[in-house]
Amino acid sequence: MLLLPWWRGGASTAARAILARRLHGACYFSEPDDDPPFTRIVERLPRAPAEAAVKREAQGGGIRPPEPAHSDLPFDFRYSYSETDPAWRPIGFREPTRFSPFGPGRLDRPWDGVAAARVGGEATAAVATSREEALGEPLSEEEVEQLVERYRHSDCSRQINLGKGGVTHNMLDDIHNHWKRAEAVRIKCLGVPTLDMDNICFHLEDKTGGKIIYCNLNIIILYRGRNYDPKQRPEIPLMLWKPLAPIYPRLVQNVADGLTFEKTKELRNTGLNSPPLMKLTRNGVYVNVVDRMREAFKTVEVVRLDCSHVGSSDCKKIGVKLRVC
């Protein structure tokens, strides 16, 4: 009798099935139409939505909180504190004033298109007292030298870059975040705000409650104070987007104040044909521009600045700042 292997037909169908179960497991061959690569997926019942998702849905997708945020800071919230003047009132807006950059229902201060005015009476004395308590005793000269040596170098990790927006609202929160783990923060200023560094220093101290212990050209070191407690830091609601700049009246007129049209035209032509006093670059350091212009005005009547490498918007801001300075 000739014996053949089971895969050549020498064994019965039942024997082959038994051997296959032992080799590959009985689960795959429990049914004749079962195929291991295409196993059936058990149908699951839909799960109930999580409580967090239901709560987020009720709050409008997480955008609108249950209660608007409240802040005790004693000043109006603006996008930029150093580059805007509350005395200047706009003549128009590029976006509806009902759209607050803090988000819908996220702040208890109304937004008028320029600023979110604080609600409540005067609290200047209480704020001044709290700031004095946070600063504590003045630093000695040795302590100041140690802090300056630690934070003045360019490789300092506690640094904030201040650009053409100046001292912005969200920058205040960044400063307090650095103050959680560091005594001071290094601020590097670039662009148009460097024309008036005194204005930058004033708003940094006024809005944060800190103390400037070092200011050299465009580098500022802002100290938090001896008794600063990060757990008692002020609540600063963040702006979710940058609001569009309002429309202001034209500040540089075709005819200068106190001059006739012919005299203004003559002076303008004289300035255009004169050599430039300085050549300004984009996002440069303009700390010495005002002093050099004042020195030049002692000998000439018109001074020209080369702003060909500066953007048109920055050029207008430079003109306005030089007019004020």
Side-chain angles (χ1 to χ4, degrees):
M1 183 177 63
L2 182 62
L3 297 178
L4 297 177
W6 65 271
W7 60 83
R8 297 291 300 274
S12 63
T13 305
R16 281 183 287 177
I18 292 173
L19 184 58
R21 290 192 192 97
R22 292 178 179 177
L23 293 178
H24 303 286
C27 58
Y28 296 125
F29 296 88
S30 58
E31 296 183 5
D33 58 345
D34 231 352
D35 195 355
F38 303 96
T39 56
R40 293 188 179 89
I41 299 177
V42 181
E43 297 183 0
R44 297 179 180 178
L45 297 177
R47 296 183 299 176
E51 296 182 0
V54 175
K55 186 177 181 180
R56 195 182 308 115
E57 193 94 15
Q59 295 177 2
I63 299 177
R64 186 186 298 274
E67 294 183 1
H70 175 74
S71 180
D72 296 329
L73 292 175
F75 51 84
D76 299 344
F77 291 163
R78 312 172 70 90
Y79 172 74
S80 178
Y81 297 105
S82 61
E83 304 307 302
T84 56
D85 190 351
W88 298 344
R89 298 307 305 173
I91 59 177
F93 299 95
R94 293 183 172 88
E95 62 182 357
T97 57
R98 66 178 184 274
F99 295 146
S100 172
F102 296 95
R106 298 180 64 90
L107 185 64
D108 61 351
R109 301 187 181 190
W111 177 259
D112 60 359
V114 179
R118 64 188 182 92
V119 180
E122 297 289 337
T124 308
V127 173
T129 304
S130 63
R131 287 182 176 180
E132 293 177 358
E133 293 177 354
L135 290 175
E137 298 180 0
L139 295 174
S140 62
E141 295 183 359
E142 296 179 357
E143 292 174 333
V144 172
E145 291 178 359
Q146 291 177 1
L147 288 175
V148 170
E149 183 63 25
R150 188 190 308 172
Y151 292 100
R152 73 180 178 88
H153 300 285
S154 59
D155 58 350
C156 176
S157 60
R158 302 297 175 182
Q159 174 175 308
I160 295 177
N161 295 328
L162 188 147
K164 62 180 180 180
V167 182
T168 58
H169 179 76
N170 289 355
M171 185 183 295
L172 306 181
D173 186 72
D174 295 338
I175 293 174
H176 284 280
N177 289 337
H178 280 286
W179 280 349
K180 287 182 180 180
R181 298 175 177 85
E183 294 180 274
V185 59
R186 182 178 188 264
I187 301 175
K188 183 179 180 181
C189 307
L190 296 173
V192 180
T194 57
L195 285 171
D196 192 358
M197 290 299 296
D198 293 337
N199 184 39
I200 295 293
C201 295
F202 167 76
H203 284 286
L204 284 175
E205 290 186 344
D206 181 64
K207 301 302 185 295
T208 62
K211 181 69 175 179
I212 292 178
I213 59 176
Y214 178 82
C215 181
N216 183 24
L217 295 179
N218 64 324
I219 303 300
I220 296 174
I221 296 179
L222 188 62
Y223 176 61
R224 67 181 184 179
R226 290 184 183 272
N227 304 325
Y228 178 82
D229 186 5
K231 297 181 180 179
Q232 297 181 0
R233 55 174 287 181
E235 183 177 356
I236 304 176
L238 297 179
M239 285 189 176
L240 303 183
W241 64 83
K242 177 183 177 181
L244 296 179
I247 302 173
Y248 291 96
R250 187 173 182 178
L251 298 178
V252 181
Q253 304 296 333
N254 294 328
V255 180
D257 297 338
L259 299 177
T260 61
F261 177 77
E262 290 76 12
K263 184 63 176 178
T264 303
K265 186 176 181 180
E266 179 184 353
L267 292 176
R268 185 180 293 113
N269 292 333
T270 303
L272 291 175
N273 297 325
S274 62
L277 177 66
M278 297 179 64
K279 184 176 182 180
L280 304 182
T281 59
R282 187 177 182 87
N283 293 331
V285 180
Y286 313 142
V287 177
N288 301 324
V289 174
V290 177
D291 294 336
R292 293 192 58 179
M293 290 189 66
R294 288 174 179 172
E295 288 292 330
F297 279 137
K298 295 179 180 179
T299 56
V300 296
E301 192 175 8
V302 181
V303 175
R304 177 192 170 198
L305 296 177
D306 186 1
C307 301
S308 57
H309 298 280
V310 181
S312 59
S313 61
D314 290 351
C315 187
K316 295 177 182 179
K317 294 177 182 178
I318 291 173
V320 173
K321 276 189 170 290
L322 292 177
R323 181 183 178 184
V324 174
C325 297

